[in-house]
Amino acid sequence: MEPLDLSVLPHGGLVLVDTAPIVYVLEAHPRLAPRFQPLFDLQAAGDLLFAVTTTTIAEVLTGPLAAGEEALAKRYRAVMESWQVVNLTADLAESAARFRAALKLKLPDAIQVASAIAVNADALVTHDRDFSRVKALMILT
């Protein structure tokens, strides 16, 4: 699988990262991590900023917690908290509901879109094809 085309992102840009790319890279998925690793390398080098939703934090932590891996969950949380965390407020929930209604998105996906727009992200990075109807934001899959 080819890496993402990151040439469309501005230097120092803000990217909201959906759950799947984070899980793939943290868990070194043999086929999918290479697609997203260059994005994480740019962030580590200071060339990009990351944002993450509280929904994504919950989703990412579920795997380690279900496996009884408290220390791993704590490490994952620390990584994600080093990025900009977008909290789910009532205004954000309403915006997500509007995207969900208009674009027929799943609720977690609508939260990602609303959050990315709320923080003026340059792009949303995901591995989910359900974002194809989103036109208000650059989606990298």
Side-chain angles (χ1 to χ4, degrees):
M1 183 167 269
E2 293 291 317
L4 290 174
D5 177 10
L6 302 176
S7 66
V8 297
L9 296 174
H11 179 80
L14 178 63
V15 176
L16 190 126
V17 185
D18 196 8
T19 304
I22 296 170
V23 171
Y24 298 153
V25 170
L26 287 175
E27 296 183 358
H29 188 284
R31 190 171 63 84
L32 297 170
R35 178 159 181 78
F36 297 100
Q37 187 61 54
L39 178 78
F40 286 78
D41 293 343
L42 284 176
Q43 186 273 335
D47 295 330
L48 283 179
L49 301 172
F50 278 0
V52 64
T53 65
T54 49
T55 300
T56 290
I57 292 173
E59 290 177 326
V60 170
L61 295 180
T62 299
L65 291 173
E69 298 283 344
E70 291 288 334
L72 185 59
K74 187 174 183 175
R75 278 201 327 266
Y76 285 4
R77 180 175 173 172
V79 167
M80 291 182 287
E81 284 184 325
S82 72
W83 306 332
Q84 179 178 344
V85 176
V86 184
N87 293 307
L88 183 59
T89 64
D91 286 342
L92 199 55
E94 180 180 341
S95 179
R98 291 181 185 284
F99 282 113
R100 187 171 188 218
L103 302 176
K104 310 293 188 255
L105 296 172
K106 294 180 233 165
L107 181 57
D109 295 344
I111 290 170
Q112 300 295 359
V113 171
S115 297
I117 290 171
V119 298
N120 295 314
D122 294 292
L124 187 156
V125 175
T126 184
H127 190 239
D128 191 334
R129 303 290 182 212
D130 285 348
F131 289 93
S132 62
R133 293 179 299 278
V134 176
K135 304 299 180 210
L137 176 68
M138 183 185 334
I139 306 293
L140 298 178
T141 58

